[in-house]
Amino acid sequence: MNFEHLLIDNNDGIITVTVNRPKALNALNRQVFTDLKNCFEQYKGDASVKGIIVTGAGEKAFVAGADIKEFDGLDAEKGQALSKRGQDIFLQIEEFDKPVIAVVNGFALGGGCELAMACHFRIAEENARFGQPEVNLGIIPGYAGTQRLVRYMGKGKALELLLTADMIDAQTALRYDLVNYVLPKGEGIPKAQKIIAKIATKAPIAVSETIKLVNDYYKSDADGFAGESEAFGRICDTEDFKEGAAAFVEKRKANFKGK
Ligand code: CAA
């Protein structure tokens, strides 16, 4: 499948998805959302895919937010629909069954910070800048920024960022638990590839169940403890569990099949 605003690189099952509108600092217009939706739909359940890296094209930005030039004509009804669509597509990323890592290589503002937060975790390159500047525009985050920012850094720090519209640099994002690593420019993608390749050596069903259960922690209607016991039981019936335990006892490398 071809995408208007995404570049796709498939490196032995590790997919790098690059949002590609560098002249607009990779701002998320409607077509970028359509492309992201189709892209994650296409790869979900594909056994050859080990994981997805999300990054931005060009030297300056990961993604500089929702496309402000598309805001003209928004009213209450259209605004709610725009927000709901963005939230749903970012949820699709969060619920992807393989690891999704954001490599933040510049500005991650507004919807860009929200896209990075929808990924399972984030690697910042040294020039990364994070922020939710929506109050400067007289609006609020619409793609779950008020929710996910609090999860990562806690209420006080999140509210300060949301209310002041200040940007934080990569080292501050690391201190605030928004990112897992800060690396020199150009080292983010190799690091993400290495992490995904490592996870790909583990049992695929155990990996996808773990992602689901950790996501469930944040759902008010999900009983995560019950979900974990139920999934644990289900996994005990898999061939991979038997293979993993046998390989440990026999002192050999496990050969997982995703069954
Ligand atoms: N939407 C549309 N176009 C954008 C954009 C955005 N979010 N961010 C940057 N651009 C465009 C600029 O208009 C400019 O285009 P032209 O050359 O055609 O004028 C081009 O990208 C380069 O940008 P700048 O000249 O502004 O670059 P800079 O280096 O001087 O500044 C910046 C960089 C600080 C990131 C600045 O571009 C900026 O503040 N951008 C807007 C960031 C923002 O407010 N994001 C939140 C959007 S609202 C949102 O995301 C809401 C939501 O959750 C739903």
Side-chain angles (χ1 to χ4, degrees):
M1 189 180 277
N2 280 329
F3 303 102
E4 201 174 322
H5 295 310
L6 300 181
L7 302 173
I8 306 291
D9 174 66
N10 184 342
N11 181 350
D12 190 26
I14 301 175
I15 313 293
T16 300
V17 174
T18 304
V19 179
N20 185 34
R21 294 185 74 211
K23 285 187 183 146
L25 302 189
N26 305 320
L28 302 167
N29 64 7
R30 286 184 180 79
Q31 187 58 44
V32 176
F33 271 110
T34 302
D35 287 353
L36 285 170
K37 177 175 185 295
N38 292 338
C39 174
F40 277 82
E41 242 163 46
Q42 170 184 316
Y43 290 124
K44 188 150 188 170
D46 180 337
S48 72
V49 171
K50 295 175 178 162
I52 296 187
I53 297 166
V54 179
T55 193
E59 295 297 308
K60 276 173 79 170
F62 171 72
V63 165
D67 191 322
I68 299 166
K69 291 165 189 167
E70 283 190 348
F71 283 178
D72 193 30
L74 283 184
D75 58 16
E77 196 183 329
K78 288 182 188 149
Q80 186 173 354
L82 180 95
S83 164
K84 178 78 173 65
R85 179 169 188 255
Q87 285 185 1
D88 286 349
I89 293 168
F90 284 2
L91 198 61
Q92 195 189 338
I93 295 175
E94 186 168 70
E95 293 182 344
F96 193 70
D97 56 351
K98 309 274 174 53
V100 183
I101 304 177
V103 172
V104 180
N105 54 336
F107 292 111
L109 303 175
C113 188
E114 292 167 306
L115 170 61
M117 290 194 291
C119 297
H120 296 141
F121 48 92
R122 287 145 293 287
I123 295 171
E125 294 192 343
E126 278 164 347
N127 65 334
R129 297 286 178 277
F130 297 84
Q132 295 287 162
E134 285 87 348
V135 290
N136 286 338
L137 301 165
I139 49 160
I140 61 169
Y143 308 141
T146 60
Q147 304 303 297
R148 290 198 178 96
L149 200 67
V150 181
R151 287 178 193 170
Y152 294 123
M153 59 181 65
K155 183 176 171 183
K157 294 189 184 81
L159 266 177
E160 186 180 345
L161 278 194
L162 289 159
L163 299 181
T164 61
D166 283 348
M167 284 187 218
I168 55 171
D169 63 16
Q171 290 297 343
T172 308
L174 184 66
R175 269 195 293 120
Y176 282 12
D177 286 335
L178 186 58
V179 303
N180 291 24
Y181 302 92
V182 177
L183 296 174
K185 204 164 163 39
E187 292 185 18
I189 288 181
K191 175 72 177 176
Q193 286 173 328
K194 213 169 152 191
I195 295 171
I196 291 175
K198 183 180 211 177
I199 295 171
T201 67
K202 317 298 176 194
I205 297 172
V207 167
S208 64
E209 288 288 355
T210 301
I211 291 170
K212 183 184 171 303
L213 286 160
V214 171
N215 284 337
D216 280 354
Y217 176 81
Y218 295 101
K219 290 184 185 155
S220 58
D221 60 341
D223 180 344
F225 286 84
E228 184 181 88
S229 312
E230 190 268 325
F232 188 89
R234 221 168 342 100
I235 289 175
C236 285
D237 266 346
T238 63
E239 287 177 28
D240 280 351
F241 169 60
K242 290 173 181 52
E243 165 63 9
F248 176 81
V249 173
E250 292 160 20
K251 298 188 187 300
R252 61 175 173 81
K253 200 166 173 288
N255 178 19
F256 294 121
K257 297 200 166 67
K259 290 181 185 164

